[in-house]
Amino acid sequence: MKRTLLSAAMLASCSLPSFAADLKATLAPTIHQLMPQVIDWRRDIHTHPELSNSEVRTSKLVADELKALGLEVRTGIAHHGVVGILKGGQPGPVVALRADMDALPVKEQTGLPFASKVTATFNGEQVGVMHACGHDAHTAILLGVAKALSSIRAQIPGTVMFVFQPAEEGAPPGEEGGAALMLKEGVFNNPKPDAIFGLHVWPMEAGKIYVRPEGTMAASDRFEVHIKGKQTHGSSPWRGVDPITVTGSMIEALELIPSRQVDVTQAPAVISIGQVKSGIRFNIIPDDATLVGTIRTFDEGMRQDIINKMQRTVTHVAQATGATATLSVKSGAAVTWNDAKLTDWAAPTLAWAAGKEGVGTIKPITGAEDFSYFQQKVPGVFFFLGVAPDGVPLDQVAANHSPHFIVNEKGLENGVRALSGLALDYLQSHQKS
Ligand SMILES: [Zn+2]
Ligand SMILES: [Zn+2]
C-alpha cells in the first residue's frame, strides 16, 4: 500500500497559490472582524448543547443565520441536519464544507462562565449534556465561513455547500443518524459536490493545523459475540457446556488477531472487548454469554481481513468446546481517508491559513469520524485544529470527551481561514474547461 506523508520539506516549499490569493487577501480582514461573532455563536451553542438526534435549537440557529445571509437553506435532513447552498456569481464546481452539531452526555466541569447546565435523558438515565467534543466550535466556525464567503459571493466561481450534520457521536440505540443518514436521504444528490473538507478541534497547540494523507482516523466497528452453551448446576459442569470458560478462550483468541495475524507494518489495528455479560448466580453454569467490543482499523482491506479472521476464530473456538457462537459486526464509521492528491493540493492553502510554521503532520488517530462516509462519496480532506488552552503542558491538556475539555477560542480564526481558503482555492483551481 502506498503511503505518502506530508513532508516538512514539502510544507517548507509551499508558496501561496496565486489563483485565489486576491480573493483570500480580501477575505482575511473580513474574517478577522467576524471573529467576535463566531465566538458569540460558539458560546451560545456551548451553553445550549443538544444530544445526537436532538439538535433542534442548534439546527434552527444555523438555519436562521444561513437564511439571513441569503443562502438557499434545506432543513430536516437526517432529522436535524441543515444544508446551506451558496451559489457564487461565476460558474464553477461545487465544494462542500462540513461541521457537526451534536453534544455528549457529559456533565461539564470546566467552570467557564458560559458552561452548560443542561441535562437530558440518555439511555434511560438523567445526564449532564456538554459540548465536550468541540462540535460547538465546528458549527460556529462554519457559520463564520458562510458569512465570510457570502460577502464576496459575486466573485465566487462555483457553489459552496455548507453541511451542518447532526448525530456525529452516534444516533441513540434503534435510531439512524449522522453522515450515513444524510447521504441516504440524498444530501449529495443535488448538487453533487466535487470535494469535501472538514476539521476537528484537538488538544494541540492553539491555531496550529495538523493533517495526514490517507488513513487518518480509524474505521470503528462494534461487534458482539453470542456464545451458546448448555446450562447446568455449578457442581457438575460435565453435564452442560460452560459458556463462561469459552469467553476466556475466545477473548484470548480474538486478541491474537491484531497481535499475531495482521501485518502491523501496513497499518495499526485494535480489537478491544468492553463488555462481558453472562451468569446470574454463583452455582449455576449459565446457558449463554456475550462479548461486546470494538474494532479499529485504518485500511478497508485489513478491516475485512480482520472480520473474516474473527468469524473463523469465533466459530472454531466455540466448536472446540462443544458450544456454538455467532459474530455480528455493525459499522460505526469507515476509515477517515484523506485523498492523497487532494491533501497535497491543500497544503499551501493550510499554510496560508495558519502560517508555514503552523501546519504539521499528525499520527493516525484510533478515534473515528463519520465524516468518512462523505469521503466514500467524494474526495475529501479532514484535518485538525489545535485549541489547547495556553500555559498547560500538552500532555496534561484535557482531551475531547473530558468534562474538563476547553476550547481555546484564539485557535478558531485559523479554522475559519482554512475552510474559507480551501473552498475558494478549490473552486478557482478546479474550473472545468
Ligand atoms: Zn467526539
Ligand atoms: Zn467530535
Side-chain angles (χ1 to χ4, degrees):
M1 184 177 68
K2 189 174 78 63
R3 301 220 135 242
T4 54
L5 280 174
L6 211 62
S7 68
M10 199 186 94
L11 283 169
S13 71
C14 290
S15 55
L16 300 185
S18 57
F19 39 83
D22 286 350
L23 278 183
K24 293 213 297 297
T26 311
L27 214 53
T30 310
I31 290 173
H32 189 66
Q33 281 164 16
L34 267 174
M35 288 319 293
Q37 185 170 18
V38 170
I39 288 166
D40 279 353
W41 279 324
R42 186 251 151 177
R43 291 184 181 187
D44 179 40
I45 297 166
H46 189 88
T47 309
H48 302 96
E50 294 167 303
L51 291 174
S52 309
N53 276 359
S54 302
E55 306 90 340
V56 177
R57 182 185 184 276
T58 313
S59 169
K60 184 176 182 314
L61 183 152
V62 166
D64 288 349
E65 294 292 345
L66 297 179
K67 279 178 199 157
L69 294 172
L71 269 61
E72 179 191 327
V73 179
R74 300 170 188 168
T75 57
I77 308 166
H79 305 299
H80 305 298
V82 181
V83 168
I85 309 279
L86 177 70
K87 285 208 174 80
Q90 320 287 329
V94 180
V95 64
L97 304 174
R98 176 270 210 170
D100 41 11
M101 303 190 288
D102 53 329
L104 286 160
V106 172
K107 190 175 183 326
E108 179 156 359
Q109 292 171 44
T110 59
L112 290 168
F114 54 89
S116 160
K117 296 183 178 65
V118 172
T119 58
T121 306
F122 180 77
N123 276 350
E125 279 182 52
Q126 195 70 5
V127 292
V129 184
M130 175 189 175
H131 268 293
C133 203
H135 298 183
D136 51 338
H138 304 166
T139 303
I141 285 172
L142 197 57
L143 282 174
V145 175
K147 188 151 186 178
L149 292 180
S150 296
S151 73
I152 53 163
R153 181 178 196 149
Q155 292 130 284
I156 293 178
T159 299
V160 187
M161 176 190 266
F162 298 92
V163 179
F164 289 89
Q165 184 208 302
E168 193 286 323
E169 301 286 359
E175 293 180 29
E176 286 185 88
L181 187 58
M182 288 191 101
L183 288 165
K184 192 171 156 187
E185 293 184 5
V187 70
F188 278 3
N189 289 357
N190 180 32
K192 182 176 192 297
D194 297 288
I196 186 163
F197 299 98
L199 62 75
H200 208 298
V201 293
W202 214 245
M204 296 175 94
E205 197 177 330
K208 280 205 169 191
I209 286 174
Y210 302 87
V211 65
R212 176 183 185 81
E214 302 188 338
T216 295
M217 296 183 83
S220 167
D221 291 280
R222 181 184 191 276
F223 71 88
E224 287 197 23
V225 178
H226 290 285
I227 301 160
K228 181 86 174 71
K230 189 176 169 213
Q231 186 161 325
T232 188
H233 198 289
S235 64
S236 47
W238 58 89
R239 291 178 183 277
V241 176
D242 181 358
I244 291 181
T245 52
V246 180
T247 62
S249 318
M250 195 75 86
I251 292 167
E252 200 179 350
L254 289 171
E255 289 303 340
L256 290 177
I257 297 172
S259 70
R260 305 284 93 182
Q261 299 171 25
V262 298
D263 179 356
V264 292
T265 63
Q266 191 188 9
V270 174
I271 294 179
S272 289
I273 291 158
Q275 288 174 284
V276 181
K277 298 188 277 193
S278 186
I280 191 83
R281 194 184 143 86
F282 78 100
N283 63 353
I284 300 174
I285 288 174
D287 207 40
D288 52 14
T290 304
L291 306 176
V292 188
T294 186
I295 313 163
R296 302 293 164 116
T297 49
F298 289 87
D299 178 270
E300 181 56 25
M302 193 188 266
R303 172 180 172 268
Q304 277 306 333
D305 181 49
I306 286 176
I307 293 172
N308 292 343
K309 285 178 169 142
M310 289 177 73
Q311 186 63 62
R312 183 182 69 186
T313 301
V314 162
T315 305
H316 291 289
V317 169
Q319 219 169 41
T321 58
T324 55
T326 54
L327 170 73
S328 59
V329 178
K330 187 169 179 285
S331 170
V335 184
T336 305
W337 187 262
N338 285 342
D339 182 89
K341 225 172 101 190
L342 194 63
T343 311
D344 280 356
W345 170 87
T349 309
L350 295 177
W352 170 80
K356 280 182 197 171
E357 303 300 316
V359 185
T361 53
I362 195 166
K363 290 189 288 187
I365 292 168
T366 47
E369 244 298 332
D370 73 356
F371 184 83
S372 52
Y373 292 131
F374 295 127
Q375 288 173 310
Q376 288 184 331
K377 301 289 176 195
V378 296
V381 176
F382 192 72
F383 58 94
F384 299 87
L385 175 69
V387 291
D390 297 329
V392 184
L394 286 179
D395 60 352
Q396 288 169 37
V397 172
N400 305 58
H401 290 208
S402 158
H404 303 284
F405 179 71
I406 287 181
V407 166
N408 185 340
E409 292 166 337
K410 277 197 331 206
L412 303 186
E413 184 165 352
N414 286 354
V416 180
R417 285 168 62 89
L419 290 177
S420 305
L422 287 168
L424 279 181
D425 284 348
Y426 187 87
L427 296 179
Q428 290 216 319
S429 66
H430 290 76
Q431 290 291 311
K432 289 160 190 160
S433 51

